[in-house]
Amino acid sequence: MPAIRASHASPRSVRMVSAVLLATAGLSAVDAPPAQAADGQGAVVVAPKQQSWVFRDAGGREVTLRGFNVSGSTKLYENGLLPFRTTADAARSAQAMRDLTGANAVRFLISWEGVQPAPDRIDHAYLDRAIAQIRAFTDRGFRVLLDYHQDLYSSHLFNSGSWYTGDGAPRWVVQAGGYPKESCGICLLWGQNMQNNAAVRKAAYDFWRNRVLTTSAGPVGVQDAYLAQAKATMTYMKQRLPQSAFDGIVGLDPFNEPFDGGLDGGTGLDWEKNHLMPFYQRVRAAMDEAGWNAKPAFVEPLVFWNTGFFEQGGMASVGPLGTRMVFNSHYYDGARMTVDPSPASDGTYAAAMNEIRQRAAALGTAPLVSEFGNKLSGSGSDRTPWMIRAMYQGMDSGVAGRTWWNGPAAGGSVLSSMQWHWDVYSGRHRELMNGNPGKVQTEGDGWNDEDHSVVAADDAGNVTLRLDARVLDRLYPSAVNGDTLAFAFEDLARSGYGGAGRQQAWLTVPSSMPTLAALVKDRQYAVLAWRGSATAAPTELHLPRSFAPAGTTVVSDLGTVNGVPASGAVRAVHETGSTSAYRLQLTAPAAPGAVHVALVVNTTAGTPVTAGQLAAARTELTAWTNRQFPSN
């Protein structure tokens, strides 16, 4: 690696480092293998929608990305710093996710340490394993967000007896940094290391200021090295992935949960403007040079911006992001994770999700919630089912269910999201914490005593859901031909685990629509209203497994069916890559500006639905639609 002696690298120096790292991977700019066939869902772009921005596919349909992070196992050495130990495990996991939840997207974690184990070397064998695992998802129709993951900067900052550990930066970076002995003091949560651990803070401080490190390959700016290996990774993936699979890569999340390491007397907004945004601009340039110019950078704000305590940042000082960057937020309920014992309920997270919507709109781009969730064991985990339910509700619509029918348009766009997380090795790890054979982590996520995985696998490898399927397998609009005007879903998920606990409907129909209220009483149902486009492409919604086509009723201006057929304007087809999961397709005539509506009800059980009831329900639904969404 050539010497980089300035604290701020020139574009030329980054190109020189990139060229060396690309050469170590055996690549040139024109060294592309033959393309192979894959059944992916295609590229998405950030595009306008009324007063906001959304994702759209090649046909102009408004796309909602829904899925999970795969996975926290990337933090573990037992997994080779990848989500899965084998490609077969990745395929098994992808198939289960598709079949059990109808997810259409994943945030796929990789590690800087895995990519660049030495300052002058890219581990292309690691990248080949990652590519094979990514293919397990793209081949089944998933879109993939590539995530460079880090927590507390690096595991190599921690000693063998530490209470905590990290992940991200390679050993050679930490060794060259010469950081103080780490100690968080009396920290109740691992995240407190970002504020209390001098070693963690100093390492982060150096990264954002591109400190020049003396390494075995000569002097190198630490941020320069990071950008060079990221560019090498993206170049390699573009050349090795078949075109259809590469189209399924929605973009790059360049740095998980950025934290400052020191504000130098300024504010979080100052730090984002002076340090974080210049880094993202450099990432954007690296993406363009690597051939990822059509894909957005999914950029995260300062991690503290919406924690509920000591909030800082939020990117309000950086100016418009534009369509080549996405506002990429996480959401965890810091209060209920620590001091607030109250349960979540209808509308609990509407304001929090609306804040994400509004911040993205102010930045001139689309939003994504790339992490959210809560623990599945330990103190307070009894509240998790309805916390997750309420988070999904807030992402579906920023209006509480009890008032949704009276003002659905106020709910905003449906938020795309990936839940943390999906780990098929949950509870079956064997990770030596900080390399210590006396501290073998086996339970939960195998990392910092966390237990967030929504799945586990048995001895035979069969994957099962740990949360109520009604929380995780959700009806959502995966592709809307035109503009979504409003969406809401009543999942009827119980407050406990395994179908236990209380059941309560949150999305309640007003008494002014008695037939609709009777039709959906004690049943799962969803409502989608949208404004059509000039094409006749279908609008698509994932149907949960509880909505068997034969037991699903649809009331719509496009047709009313009691039992969804396999053909026609209202039809059910298999999800890509699955023989058990279905999606509902609604095809409207090409008529830009026309308002459409669909009520989708799980009528598998309960009193049989009559033709007269459906006719009356359609009359009420039509009148409601005309009131709420009058035509131009």
Side-chain angles (χ1 to χ4, degrees):
M1 180 178 293
I4 302 175
R5 301 183 183 277
S7 60
H8 297 283
S10 67
R12 178 176 177 271
S13 67
V14 174
R15 288 196 297 270
M16 291 171 65
V17 176
S18 299
V20 172
L21 294 180
L22 286 170
T24 69
L27 288 173
S28 70
V30 295
D31 182 24
Q36 301 176 33
D39 187 14
Q41 293 216 14
V44 297
V45 297
V46 177
K49 173 195 170 182
Q50 298 160 343
Q51 303 301 313
S52 63
W53 297 81
V54 295
F55 300 113
R56 293 195 187 274
D57 64 15
R61 296 185 300 176
E62 182 179 338
V63 169
T64 301
L65 304 174
R66 282 287 172 89
F68 302 87
N69 282 259
V70 290
S71 79
S73 288
T74 300
K75 305 175 185 183
L76 307 181
Y77 291 95
E78 67 166 355
N79 265 39
L81 302 176
L82 283 170
F84 305 100
R85 296 168 191 165
T86 65
T87 304
D89 283 355
R92 175 168 54 91
S93 186
Q95 193 65 58
M97 189 185 297
R98 197 63 154 153
D99 293 343
L100 296 175
T101 73
N104 66 359
V106 292
R107 182 172 180 242
F108 188 98
L109 279 60
I110 61 171
S111 165
W112 179 13
E113 180 176 3
V115 174
Q116 191 181 18
D120 56 354
R121 184 166 69 90
I122 293 293
D123 187 344
H124 55 279
Y126 171 87
L127 291 177
D128 285 339
R129 292 191 294 274
I131 288 168
Q133 293 181 17
I134 288 170
R135 287 285 309 275
F137 288 88
T138 58
D139 286 355
R140 288 167 175 81
F142 285 88
R143 292 185 170 99
V144 175
L145 172 61
L146 186 68
D147 167 48
Y148 261 100
H149 210 79
Q150 72 80 40
D151 298 278
L152 309 182
Y153 195 72
S154 175
S155 68
H156 300 292
L157 290 168
F158 294 83
N159 62 68
S160 61
S162 179
W163 292 1
Y164 302 108
T165 190
D167 64 281
R171 181 187 297 274
W172 62 265
V173 171
V174 173
Q175 288 176 334
Y179 298 110
K181 183 178 180 180
E182 66 86 13
S183 174
C184 193
I186 302 175
C187 289
L188 300 180
L189 300 171
W190 66 260
Q192 290 176 265
N193 282 274
M194 288 183 278
Q195 296 174 318
N196 297 351
N197 192 323
V200 172
R201 289 182 62 76
K202 182 63 168 62
Y205 187 93
D206 286 352
F207 180 86
W208 299 117
R209 287 153 185 83
N210 198 21
R211 177 187 167 194
V212 175
L213 304 176
T214 300
T215 75
S216 60
V220 58
V222 62
Q223 192 177 114
D224 297 340
Y226 184 87
L227 289 163
Q229 61 83 32
K231 179 181 172 182
T233 291
M234 289 186 287
T235 302
Y236 191 85
M237 285 190 172
K238 185 177 190 301
Q239 295 177 348
R240 293 297 191 236
L241 283 167
Q243 185 61 49
S244 57
F246 182 68
D247 287 344
I249 305 290
V250 296
L252 176 73
D253 185 341
F255 201 96
N256 175 69
E257 296 183 352
F259 62 101
D260 54 271
L263 296 175
D264 290 334
T267 67
L269 290 174
D270 295 331
W271 179 81
E272 288 178 330
K273 180 179 180 180
N274 298 327
H275 297 286
L276 186 60
M277 197 61 197
F279 168 70
Y280 286 150
Q281 290 165 343
R282 298 184 74 196
V283 168
R284 181 66 266 175
M287 293 176 70
D288 292 348
E289 292 171 3
W292 289 45
N293 47 296
K295 301 180 186 297
F298 286 70
V299 300
E300 301 185 30
L302 181 62
V303 66
F304 308 118
W305 91 277
N306 62 347
T307 57
F309 300 102
F310 313 110
E311 292 185 352
Q312 287 270 6
M315 303 186 84
S317 64
V318 303
L321 292 180
T323 59
R324 292 186 355 113
M325 292 187 185
V326 168
F327 181 64
N328 176 12
S329 179
H330 294 180
Y331 183 75
Y332 293 98
D333 187 342
R336 283 184 175 80
M337 291 172 67
T338 52
V339 298
D340 182 356
S342 66
S345 60
D346 175 32
T348 292
Y349 297 117
M353 297 307 169
N354 283 338
E355 184 179 22
I356 294 171
R357 290 181 175 95
Q358 292 159 6
R359 187 58 54 88
L363 290 166
T365 191
L368 174 78
V369 185
S370 63
E371 280 192 30
F372 67 99
N374 200 53
K375 58 186 176 181
L376 273 73
S377 63
S379 176
S381 61
D382 58 314
R383 296 175 298 158
T384 293
W386 271 14
M387 286 176 66
I388 303 301
R389 179 191 184 191
M391 289 177 191
Y392 273 115
Q393 182 200 42
M395 290 183 289
D396 287 344
S397 174
V399 176
R402 60 186 175 273
T403 61
W404 184 87
W405 282 93
N406 294 321
S413 296
V414 181
L415 281 175
S416 290
S417 64
M418 286 91 158
Q419 186 174 346
W420 185 267
H421 70 126
W422 184 282
D423 175 16
V424 293
Y425 311 114
S426 174
R428 293 170 173 266
H429 292 287
R430 189 169 178 80
E431 176 74 1
L432 277 59
M433 185 174 181
N434 296 313
N436 187 342
K439 298 185 72 173
V440 180
Q441 307 296 297
T442 59
E443 298 181 354
D445 301 341
W447 192 84
N448 282 345
D449 294 325
E450 287 198 342
D451 183 14
H452 279 67
S453 177
V454 300
V455 293
D458 61 20
D459 290 341
N462 300 308
V463 179
T464 56
L465 300 179
R466 298 177 65 204
L467 274 178
D468 188 343
R470 287 170 290 189
V471 174
L472 301 176
D473 186 14
R474 305 186 63 80
L475 199 154
Y476 68 94
S478 55
V480 173
N481 187 24
D483 289 344
T484 301
L485 299 175
F487 173 75
F489 176 44
E490 175 53 72
D491 55 40
L492 285 182
R494 291 188 177 272
S495 61
Y497 291 84
R502 187 161 59 96
Q503 178 176 291
Q504 178 181 339
W506 290 354
L507 183 63
T508 51
V509 180
S511 58
S512 58
M513 296 185 285
T515 308
L516 279 175
L519 177 61
V520 303
K521 180 176 171 55
D522 299 326
R523 285 172 166 149
Q524 295 175 296
Y525 76 96
V527 185
L528 172 68
W530 74 101
R531 197 177 301 277
S533 79
T535 73
T539 286
E540 300 185 332
L541 302 95
H542 169 66
L543 286 178
R545 289 163 71 89
S546 56
F547 284 69
T552 297
T553 296
V554 178
V555 180
S556 171
D557 65 293
L558 305 178
T560 297
V561 297
N562 186 19
V564 182
S567 62
V570 179
R571 61 185 177 272
V573 300
H574 282 294
E575 290 281 16
T576 302
S578 178
T579 58
S580 60
Y582 286 88
R583 67 183 184 271
L584 178 68
Q585 290 188 331
L586 305 166
T587 303
V595 174
H596 305 289
V597 66
L599 171 76
V600 187
V601 190
N602 178 3
T603 51
T604 303
T607 304
V609 178
T610 67
Q613 186 180 23
L614 291 180
R618 181 169 179 172
T619 299
E620 290 181 356
L621 186 65
T622 300
W624 172 84
T625 304
N626 292 337
R627 288 194 305 271
Q628 298 296 334
F629 311 104
S631 299
N632 293 335

